[in-house]
Each structure stands twice: as structure tokens, then as C-alpha cells.
Amino acid sequence: MAAGLLLVVSAPSGCGKTTILKQVMRDLPGLVFSVSHTTRKPRPGEIDRVHYHFVETEVFSAIRNRQPTGFLEWAEVHGNMYGTSVEEVERHQGAGHDVVLDIDVQGAAQVRQQAEPVTIFIAPPSLAELERRLRGRGTESEASIALRLNNARKELACSGTYDYLIVNDQLDQAVENLRSIIVAERCRQRRLPDGQRVIRSG
């Protein structure tokens, strides 16, 4: 049996999920991201097998067709395919690492069909605050903001299907909440906060 946890983290765009995950993964040992497969071409600076497994469409389709041992979840986004490999996840878990999947609510639903992940949803304090944050970026058009807010409403409606809900009102508190959830789940597995197995005698 795989030793590591499978952690699914979802959030509407603009909720600060990436920032929260980076801080938790920097401070808490034993966490790894699953490197997804994609059919899109690498962007400048991206490295194969580090940022993504960049594959041709035929290769992606062959992996997808190996269900249930191909992809835990997959989706088509803007004409490109993205997927989380079962083999990739099991390799990390088998090495004793806890695997983090940064995926949307549709991907999370697919993962639940094949595995028993710990699911965590990160929400904004309100849609009004989310809109303020999106506008504060200064990079979003009105159409983009409207689309992201509409998607956020749909995603928030799914938050009740997750094991945990974190409201990112104060960043430091949200980081501590996520860290606490992971530590608590490790303790449920009779593991230390750093992820190491508890050695029991007798």
C-alpha cells in the first residue's frame, strides 16, 4: 500500500492558492507536486519533466486509454490536453511522499472516482473581495474578470463536496490552516508532523 497522502487542492482563480501552496511546501517537508502531462508546447524557460511532461497527442491518448491506470484526471483546456498520471502519483506515494494535486473542481471529482484523496477547497472571503483582488492585478480585462467571477460562483457551489474549507482572508492564517490540515492527516496515518513513520515496538 502506498505510504503517502494524496492531497487535492482547488480554488477559484485569484484566491491565492499558488501563494499558499508555495509557503506550505517550503516549510513542511515531505510534500511534492505531481508533474502533469500536457500536449501543449513548452513556454520559454519551461523544462520537460520539471514543469510538465510535454508529450505528443498520440502519447497522451495512449496513456488516457489505459484507464484506470492511465490518468487520475484529465481535461482539455484551450485545445490542449492536461492530465495527472496514476504512475507519477503512485511513484511519489510509494517513496513515502505526500502528493499535492493543484486541480479544479472537475478534476477533483475525477480523482474521487479512482482514489481516496484528502480534498481541500480554498475560498475567498466574498465574491466582492475576489473581484477586488482580480482588478488589483491590473492584468485582467472586464470580460476576463466577469468570466472568472462566474466560474468562481460555480466552483464555490462545489466546495461542500470537499473535506476541508479554508477561507483566505488573512494569508498567514490560511497558510497555517493548510499546514495544520496536512499535519493532522499525517497524524491520522500514525506519522510524525514531518511525514516520517512512527516506529512502534511490539
Side-chain angles (χ1 to χ4, degrees), residues 20-65:
I20 293 169
L21 281 171
K22 282 182 178 178
Q23 291 196 32
V24 171
M25 295 186 74
R26 180 193 66 200
D27 298 337
L28 199 58
L31 293 172
V32 296
F33 272 121
S34 172
V35 179
S36 299
H37 286 64
T38 183
T39 59
R40 76 163 173 78
K41 300 301 181 184
R43 294 169 182 156
E46 288 185 330
I47 302 170
D48 186 36
R49 300 187 180 183
V50 174
H51 297 95
Y52 286 97
H53 295 285
F54 295 100
V55 298
E56 298 297 325
T57 301
E58 294 77 10
V59 174
F60 190 99
S61 297
I63 298 172
R64 182 186 61 195
N65 292 337

Side-chain angles (χ1 to χ4, degrees), residues 15 22 30 94 139 172 179:
C15 280
K22 282 182 178 178
T139 59
D172 289 347
R179 182 185 179 281

Side-chain angles (χ1 to χ4, degrees), residues 24-156:
V24 171
M25 295 186 74
R26 180 193 66 200
D27 298 337
L28 199 58
L31 293 172
V32 296
F33 272 121
S34 172
V35 179
S36 299
H37 286 64
T38 183
T39 59
R40 76 163 173 78
K41 300 301 181 184
R43 294 169 182 156
E46 288 185 330
I47 302 170
D48 186 36
R49 300 187 180 183
V50 174
H51 297 95
Y52 286 97
H53 295 285
F54 295 100
V55 298
E56 298 297 325
T57 301
E58 294 77 10
V59 174
F60 190 99
S61 297
I63 298 172
R64 182 186 61 195
N65 292 337
R66 291 205 308 260
Q67 297 301 83
T69 61
F71 289 123
L72 272 174
E73 59 86 28
W74 67 274
E76 182 176 354
V77 181
H78 304 307
N80 295 307
M81 311 297 285
Y82 296 83
T84 300
S85 163
V86 171
E87 182 179 329
E88 173 93 3
V89 169
E90 290 183 345
R91 178 171 61 82
H92 286 303
Q93 287 185 302
H97 300 300
D98 295 326
V99 183
V100 178
L101 303 186
D102 177 357
I103 55 178
D104 63 14
V105 294
Q106 289 84 7
Q110 290 183 53
V111 173
R112 289 191 195 96
Q113 293 177 2
Q114 296 193 62
E116 296 182 359
V118 177
T119 56
I120 304 152
F121 191 91
I122 299 175
S126 66
L127 284 172
E129 173 61 17
L130 180 60
E131 180 176 1
R132 186 191 70 77
R133 293 177 185 179
L134 290 171
R135 292 186 182 281
R137 289 177 172 180
T139 59
E140 307 289 340
S141 66
E142 286 298 319
S144 176
I145 290 173
L147 178 60
R148 291 179 187 277
L149 288 174
N150 185 53
N151 288 340
R153 290 186 183 93
K154 295 176 182 178
E155 291 166 331
L156 285 164

